[in-house]
């Protein structure tokens, strides 16, 4: 089981749009900004069998790349093979790669990349002209979500999504952007 404990009932609520890239506004209305950010702690039960953590070493990144290549390779084998190597966005100062790791085997069960625009524009900003409300705002592009097939895959995906949200909240990211083509769009 996995729960998120929120120590503030007035915590910001995420909003999303239904067309185009998925966009989540992490900022509360100006009139309801609490004096301090809510404290949020993920709590994973002992039966979850995995933990989500940041990639900290080359060995961790290799595990994440294997999980990513496997997930994408199910839909596009040639593309999946190409993902066995690190992409430039995996190692920038603005990027964080998360890995869902089996507590039993230490193998990667899933992975995702969060790239913020604090130092440089994210890919979506470079490729598309975003509406005015996004310009100059702290945002994160969520990409390369990949989860293994099998029992527990939904819980792993949910844990990665919650970790994305908590990371973006902690970094005071206002907008989360996702652009994915079918069938990967259903994963987000």
């Amino acid at each position: 089981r996995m729960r998120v404990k929120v120590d503030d009932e007035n915590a910001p609520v995420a909003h999303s749009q239904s067309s185009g890239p998925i966009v989540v506004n992490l900022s509360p209305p100006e009139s309801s900004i609490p004096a301090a950010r809510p404290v949020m702690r993920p709590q994973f039960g002992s039966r979850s069998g995995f933990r989500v953590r940041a990639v900290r070493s080359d060995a961790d990144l290799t595990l994440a790349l294997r999980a990513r290549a496997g997930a994408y390779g199910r839909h596009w084998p040639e593309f999946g093979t190409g993902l066995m190597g690190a992409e430039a966005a995996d190692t920038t100062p603005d990027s964080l790669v998360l890995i869902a790791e089996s507590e039993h085997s230490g193998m990667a069960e899933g992975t995702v990349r969060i790239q913020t625009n604090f130092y440089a524009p994210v890919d979506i900003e470079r490729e598309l002209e975003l509406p005015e409300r996004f310009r100059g705002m702290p945002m994160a592009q969520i990409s390369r979500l990949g989860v293994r097939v099998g029992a527990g895959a939904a819980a792993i995906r949910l844990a990665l999504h919650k970790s994305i949200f908590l990371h973006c909240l902690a970094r005071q990211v206002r907008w989360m952007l996702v652009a994915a083509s079918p069938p990967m769009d259903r994963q987000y």
Side-chain angles (χ1 to χ4, degrees), residues 8 30 50 57-58 78 84 91 106-107 109 131 136 150 155 169 181:
D8 182 357
E30 295 298 324
F50 66 91
S57 67
D58 289 339
E78 303 83 27
M84 284 300 294
T91 58
M107 297 303 297
E109 302 286 330
L169 188 65
S181 57

Side-chain angles (χ1 to χ4, degrees), residues 51 53-71 83-86 90 97-102 105-112 144 146-148:
R51 64 183 178 155
R53 64 181 181 84
V55 165
R56 300 279 184 216
S57 67
D58 289 339
D60 290 346
L61 185 57
T62 300
L63 286 175
L65 294 174
R66 284 185 192 147
R68 180 188 297 172
L83 291 176
M84 284 300 294
D90 290 328
V97 177
L98 296 176
I99 185 171
E101 181 179 58
S102 168
S105 68
M107 297 303 297
E109 302 286 330
T111 184
V112 69
R144 298 297 187 238
V147 177
R148 66 153 175 83

